[in-house]
Every structure is written in C-alpha cells, then in structure tokens.
Amino acid sequence: QVQLVESGGGLVQPGGSLRLSCAASGIIFSAYAMGWYRQAPGKQRESVASISIGGTLAYSDSAKGRFTISRDNAKNTVYLRMNTLKPEDTAVYYCYAHLPGWKTDYWGQGTQVTVSS
C-alpha cells in the first residue's frame, strides 16, 4: 500500500515559518522525484517545489528565496521549509512522488497552511 502522509500545516502569522513533512511508504523512495503542489481556494493547483532523485532543486518564482525543499532518503521523507510566509501562501499543500520515465504518480491528502494575522 502506497501512502504519502503530510504533516506540519497550521495557522501562522505573516512573516512566520512552517516546516511541512511528507512521509512515504510503499515505494522505493530513493527512486522517486518528490515535490510539493498547493491549491488555494478558487485557484488552480500550482507547483511549489521539487527535488529530483539526484538532489536537483526547482522552485516556483513565488517560492524561490523563501522556501527550501529537502529529502531524507533514510527516513523516506521530503520536507518543505517555508519562511517569510505571506497571506498569499494560504493553501492546501500536497506532497507528490513521481517515478522518472513513468506515468505513475502518487499524491498525499494534503495539509492546510493558513497565513493570517
């Protein structure tokens, strides 16, 4: 059974920080690219950050300079450190796993991040 379980979301003030975690099971974690998408109310889902199996990082323009994605293959976990949070970052954040060269993708159930004063 494949599972991606996000945690770490919650309510934070503008300018604050959160670290999201996504724990994977049921896959060979080191063989998968990992990443984060988010979806705000009334908006399309957008990519936030990704990390390849080799550690190559990619960020959206809004995330670059504020967010950091990392992975710990020993723990089968990918992280998203979010600093200097803005109200525009409010969204449900989804973790995904992608097997390069294949169509199969796995998604978590999401974790809510709310940035508000």
Side-chain angles (χ1 to χ4, degrees):
Q1 185 180 32
V2 177
Q3 287 187 307
L4 301 177
V5 181
E6 301 99 332
S7 62
L11 176 64
V12 65
Q13 294 182 331
S17 299
L18 286 173
R19 188 182 72 163
L20 307 183
S21 299
C22 173
S25 60
I27 62 171
I28 307 299
F29 184 81
S30 61
Y32 283 76
M34 303 295 298
W36 294 88
Y37 276 72
R38 68 186 183 188
Q39 187 166 22
K43 297 184 179 180
Q44 296 293 322
R45 187 186 67 180
E46 64 174 350
S47 178
V48 177
S50 66
I51 182 167
S52 76
I53 60 174
T56 300
L57 309 176
Y59 298 96
S60 67
D61 288 341
S62 63
K64 191 172 299 182
R66 299 188 299 127
F67 294 4
T68 303
I69 188 171
S70 62
R71 64 190 296 161
D72 187 339
N73 287 349
K75 298 184 182 297
N76 286 3
T77 301
V78 62
Y79 305 94
L80 185 67
R81 172 70 69 181
M82 304 185 293
N83 296 325
T84 319
L85 283 162
K86 306 173 181 178
E88 308 93 90
D89 296 318
T90 296
V92 178
Y93 284 72
Y94 298 92
C95 172
Y96 74 88
H98 170 69
L99 186 61
W102 301 86
K103 294 181 179 180
T104 301
D105 295 300
Y106 298 104
W107 293 85
Q109 293 298 307
T111 185
Q112 176 71 48
V113 172
T114 302
V115 184
S116 177
S117 60

